[in-house]
PDB file of all heavy atoms in Angstrom:
ATOM      1  N   GLN A 213     -31.649 -61.279  26.199  1.00  0.00           N
ATOM      2  CA  GLN A 213     -32.684 -62.322  26.305  1.00  0.00           C
ATOM      3  C   GLN A 213     -33.332 -62.594  24.901  1.00  0.00           C
ATOM      4  O   GLN A 213     -33.516 -63.761  24.574  1.00  0.00           O
ATOM      5  CB  GLN A 213     -33.770 -61.968  27.295  1.00  0.00           C
ATOM      6  CG  GLN A 213     -33.345 -61.924  28.763  1.00  0.00           C
ATOM      7  CD  GLN A 213     -32.901 -63.296  29.201  1.00  0.00           C
ATOM      8  OE1 GLN A 213     -31.680 -63.609  29.276  1.00  0.00           O
ATOM      9  NE2 GLN A 213     -33.846 -64.079  29.553  1.00  0.00           N
ATOM     10  N   VAL A 214     -33.669 -61.525  24.214  1.00  0.00           N
ATOM     11  CA  VAL A 214     -34.254 -61.671  22.885  1.00  0.00           C
ATOM     12  C   VAL A 214     -33.276 -62.389  21.920  1.00  0.00           C
ATOM     13  O   VAL A 214     -33.649 -63.281  21.151  1.00  0.00           O
ATOM     14  CB  VAL A 214     -34.700 -60.326  22.285  1.00  0.00           C
ATOM     15  CG1 VAL A 214     -35.131 -60.472  20.841  1.00  0.00           C
ATOM     16  CG2 VAL A 214     -35.866 -59.789  23.117  1.00  0.00           C
ATOM     17  N   ARG A 215     -32.010 -62.027  22.027  1.00  0.00           N
ATOM     18  CA  ARG A 215     -30.975 -62.649  21.116  1.00  0.00           C
ATOM     19  C   ARG A 215     -30.964 -64.160  21.431  1.00  0.00           C
ATOM     20  O   ARG A 215     -30.817 -65.000  20.521  1.00  0.00           O
ATOM     21  CB  ARG A 215     -29.643 -62.005  21.392  1.00  0.00           C
ATOM     22  CG  ARG A 215     -28.560 -62.593  20.531  1.00  0.00           C
ATOM     23  CD  ARG A 215     -27.152 -62.024  20.796  1.00  0.00           C
ATOM     24  NE  ARG A 215     -26.124 -62.619  20.006  1.00  0.00           N
ATOM     25  CZ  ARG A 215     -25.772 -62.234  18.792  1.00  0.00           C
ATOM     26  NH1 ARG A 215     -26.403 -61.217  18.230  1.00  0.00           N
ATOM     27  NH2 ARG A 215     -24.866 -62.832  18.092  1.00  0.00           N
ATOM     28  N   SER A 216     -30.967 -64.508  22.718  1.00  0.00           N
ATOM     29  CA  SER A 216     -30.845 -65.926  23.086  1.00  0.00           C
ATOM     30  C   SER A 216     -32.118 -66.693  22.499  1.00  0.00           C
ATOM     31  O   SER A 216     -31.921 -67.781  22.060  1.00  0.00           O
ATOM     32  CB  SER A 216     -30.803 -66.028  24.630  1.00  0.00           C
ATOM     33  OG  SER A 216     -30.952 -67.381  25.072  1.00  0.00           O
ATOM     34  N   ILE A 217     -33.235 -66.053  22.633  1.00  0.00           N
ATOM     35  CA  ILE A 217     -34.500 -66.727  22.100  1.00  0.00           C
ATOM     36  C   ILE A 217     -34.428 -66.928  20.601  1.00  0.00           C
ATOM     37  O   ILE A 217     -34.758 -67.983  20.107  1.00  0.00           O
ATOM     38  CB  ILE A 217     -35.747 -65.849  22.531  1.00  0.00           C
ATOM     39  CG1 ILE A 217     -35.932 -65.888  24.031  1.00  0.00           C
ATOM     40  CG2 ILE A 217     -36.951 -66.378  21.771  1.00  0.00           C
ATOM     41  CD1 ILE A 217     -36.921 -64.792  24.522  1.00  0.00           C
ATOM     42  N   VAL A 218     -33.980 -65.907  19.919  1.00  0.00           N
ATOM     43  CA  VAL A 218     -33.841 -65.986  18.425  1.00  0.00           C
ATOM     44  C   VAL A 218     -32.818 -66.982  18.033  1.00  0.00           C
ATOM     45  O   VAL A 218     -33.024 -67.752  17.062  1.00  0.00           O
ATOM     46  CB  VAL A 218     -33.574 -64.591  17.805  1.00  0.00           C
ATOM     47  CG1 VAL A 218     -33.340 -64.721  16.334  1.00  0.00           C
ATOM     48  CG2 VAL A 218     -34.690 -63.654  18.111  1.00  0.00           C
ATOM     49  N   GLU A 219     -31.711 -67.084  18.766  1.00  0.00           N
ATOM     50  CA  GLU A 219     -30.617 -68.015  18.434  1.00  0.00           C
ATOM     51  C   GLU A 219     -31.072 -69.434  18.494  1.00  0.00           C
ATOM     52  O   GLU A 219     -30.775 -70.322  17.734  1.00  0.00           O
ATOM     53  CB  GLU A 219     -29.386 -67.761  19.328  1.00  0.00           C
ATOM     54  CG  GLU A 219     -28.538 -66.564  18.884  1.00  0.00           C
ATOM     55  CD  GLU A 219     -27.478 -66.243  19.827  1.00  0.00           C
ATOM     56  OE1 GLU A 219     -27.443 -66.820  20.918  1.00  0.00           O
ATOM     57  OE2 GLU A 219     -26.567 -65.434  19.460  1.00  0.00           O
ATOM     58  N   LYS A 220     -31.932 -69.728  19.554  1.00  0.00           N
ATOM     59  CA  LYS A 220     -32.504 -71.092  19.662  1.00  0.00           C
ATOM     60  C   LYS A 220     -33.373 -71.382  18.505  1.00  0.00           C
ATOM     61  O   LYS A 220     -33.340 -72.542  17.978  1.00  0.00           O
ATOM     62  CB  LYS A 220     -33.317 -71.149  20.972  1.00  0.00           C
ATOM     63  CG  LYS A 220     -32.420 -71.185  22.227  1.00  0.00           C
ATOM     64  CD  LYS A 220     -33.305 -71.252  23.502  1.00  0.00           C
ATOM     65  CE  LYS A 220     -32.424 -71.204  24.797  1.00  0.00           C
ATOM     66  NZ  LYS A 220     -33.223 -71.229  26.030  1.00  0.00           N
ATOM     67  N   TYR A 221     -34.172 -70.440  18.063  1.00  0.00           N
ATOM     68  CA  TYR A 221     -35.077 -70.630  16.914  1.00  0.00           C
ATOM     69  C   TYR A 221     -34.185 -70.907  15.649  1.00  0.00           C
ATOM     70  O   TYR A 221     -34.489 -71.842  14.851  1.00  0.00           O
ATOM     71  CB  TYR A 221     -35.957 -69.446  16.721  1.00  0.00           C
ATOM     72  CG  TYR A 221     -36.633 -69.400  15.359  1.00  0.00           C
ATOM     73  CD1 TYR A 221     -37.752 -70.203  15.081  1.00  0.00           C
ATOM     74  CD2 TYR A 221     -36.155 -68.607  14.318  1.00  0.00           C
ATOM     75  CE1 TYR A 221     -38.353 -70.199  13.887  1.00  0.00           C
ATOM     76  CE2 TYR A 221     -36.798 -68.540  13.100  1.00  0.00           C
ATOM     77  CZ  TYR A 221     -37.873 -69.388  12.917  1.00  0.00           C
ATOM     78  OH  TYR A 221     -38.493 -69.344  11.677  1.00  0.00           O
ATOM     79  N   ILE A 222     -33.147 -70.108  15.464  1.00  0.00           N
ATOM     80  CA  ILE A 222     -32.281 -70.219  14.284  1.00  0.00           C
ATOM     81  C   ILE A 222     -31.682 -71.615  14.266  1.00  0.00           C
ATOM     82  O   ILE A 222     -31.594 -72.278  13.138  1.00  0.00           O
ATOM     83  CB  ILE A 222     -31.226 -69.110  14.283  1.00  0.00           C
ATOM     84  CG1 ILE A 222     -31.841 -67.774  13.972  1.00  0.00           C
ATOM     85  CG2 ILE A 222     -30.144 -69.435  13.257  1.00  0.00           C
ATOM     86  CD1 ILE A 222     -30.883 -66.565  14.231  1.00  0.00           C
ATOM     87  N   ALA A 223     -31.209 -72.051  15.368  1.00  0.00           N
ATOM     88  CA  ALA A 223     -30.583 -73.409  15.473  1.00  0.00           C
ATOM     89  C   ALA A 223     -31.533 -74.551  14.934  1.00  0.00           C
ATOM     90  O   ALA A 223     -31.173 -75.387  14.202  1.00  0.00           O
ATOM     91  CB  ALA A 223     -30.143 -73.758  16.875  1.00  0.00           C
ATOM     92  N   GLN A 224     -32.846 -74.411  15.409  1.00  0.00           N
ATOM     93  CA  GLN A 224     -33.811 -75.380  14.973  1.00  0.00           C
ATOM     94  C   GLN A 224     -34.176 -75.279  13.480  1.00  0.00           C
ATOM     95  O   GLN A 224     -34.402 -76.239  12.829  1.00  0.00           O
ATOM     96  CB  GLN A 224     -35.132 -75.245  15.855  1.00  0.00           C
ATOM     97  CG  GLN A 224     -34.985 -75.786  17.250  1.00  0.00           C
ATOM     98  CD  GLN A 224     -34.661 -77.217  17.343  1.00  0.00           C
ATOM     99  OE1 GLN A 224     -35.062 -77.981  16.480  1.00  0.00           O
ATOM    100  NE2 GLN A 224     -33.852 -77.585  18.319  1.00  0.00           N
TER     101      GLN A 224
END
Side-chain angles (χ1 to χ4, degrees):
Q213 291 297 99
V214 172
R215 181 184 178 87
S216 174
I217 291 164
V218 174
E219 283 175 347
K220 287 179 183 178
Y221 167 77
I222 289 170
Q224 287 300 327

